Amino acid sequence: MNITELLADFQARQDEATARAGDLRDQIEHLAAALTETEARLADLATTRKVIAELATARAESEPPERATAYQAILNAFNQHPDQAFRVRELHELLGIPTDDPAMNVTRSRLGRLTRQGFLTQPGRGRYQKRT
C-alpha cells in the first residue's frame, strides 16, 4: 500500500466518521427536542395533578356529609326545632351546608324522600316541618 492509497483510505474513513458524526448530531437534536417536549408534558401533568388534588380537597371539605349522615343531620335540625318550618336555604344555613344550587337540589330530594316516608310534612310550598 503506497502513501496515496493510505491517504485515500484515511480520507474515506474520515468521510465515514464525519457522516456518522452528522447522523449522531441529528439524533441528538431530535432527542433534545423530544426531551424538551416530554419535560413540558411532565410539568403540565404535575400541575394538573396538583390542581385536581387541591380541588378535590376543597370539594371534600365543602361537601355536605355522606348520605346517612346528611339525613341524620337534617332530622336532627328538625328535632331541635320541632315547631319551625324551614326552607331549604334556611336549613343549609343552619347546618352549615353550602347554598349553591346543586347542593340545595340534593337537599330538596332528601326532604322530599323524608316527607314521603312520613318524617316531615310540607305546611307550604318549599317549606318543610317535623311531623307532629
Side-chain angles (χ1 to χ4, degrees), residues 3-123:
I3 298 269
T4 307
E5 291 173 348
L6 186 61
L7 288 175
D9 185 48
F10 280 128
Q11 185 62 48
R13 290 182 187 194
Q14 184 179 357
D15 292 345
E16 288 175 15
T18 301
R20 176 77 174 133
D23 289 343
L24 291 173
R25 282 188 197 96
D26 290 344
Q27 288 179 12
I28 288 170
E29 288 176 21
H30 173 73
L31 290 172
L35 178 60
T36 300
E37 289 176 22
T38 302
E39 287 175 337
R41 178 77 174 137
L42 282 171
D44 290 346
L45 290 170
T47 301
T48 302
R49 182 178 45 80
K50 182 179 176 183
V51 168
I52 290 172
E54 289 173 1
L55 289 173
T57 301
R59 183 175 181 182
E61 291 171 356
S62 69
E63 282 183 349
E66 293 297 321
R67 177 179 280 251
T69 307
Y71 281 105
Q72 191 58 53
I74 290 169
L75 288 176
N76 287 343
F78 282 103
N79 286 336
Q80 290 172 358
H81 307 279
D83 297 328
Q84 184 175 351
F86 289 100
R87 293 193 174 281
V88 176
R89 182 173 299 280
E90 297 165 345
L91 188 60
H92 272 233
E93 290 169 355
L94 177 70
L95 296 174
I97 301 173
T99 56
D100 58 287
D101 287 340
M104 292 193 352
N105 287 336
V106 169
T107 301
R108 278 188 194 91
S109 281
R110 289 179 176 140
L111 292 171
R113 190 171 297 121
L114 290 169
T115 301
R116 287 189 300 279
Q117 292 174 347
F119 292 102
L120 304 175
T121 62
Q122 259 190 295

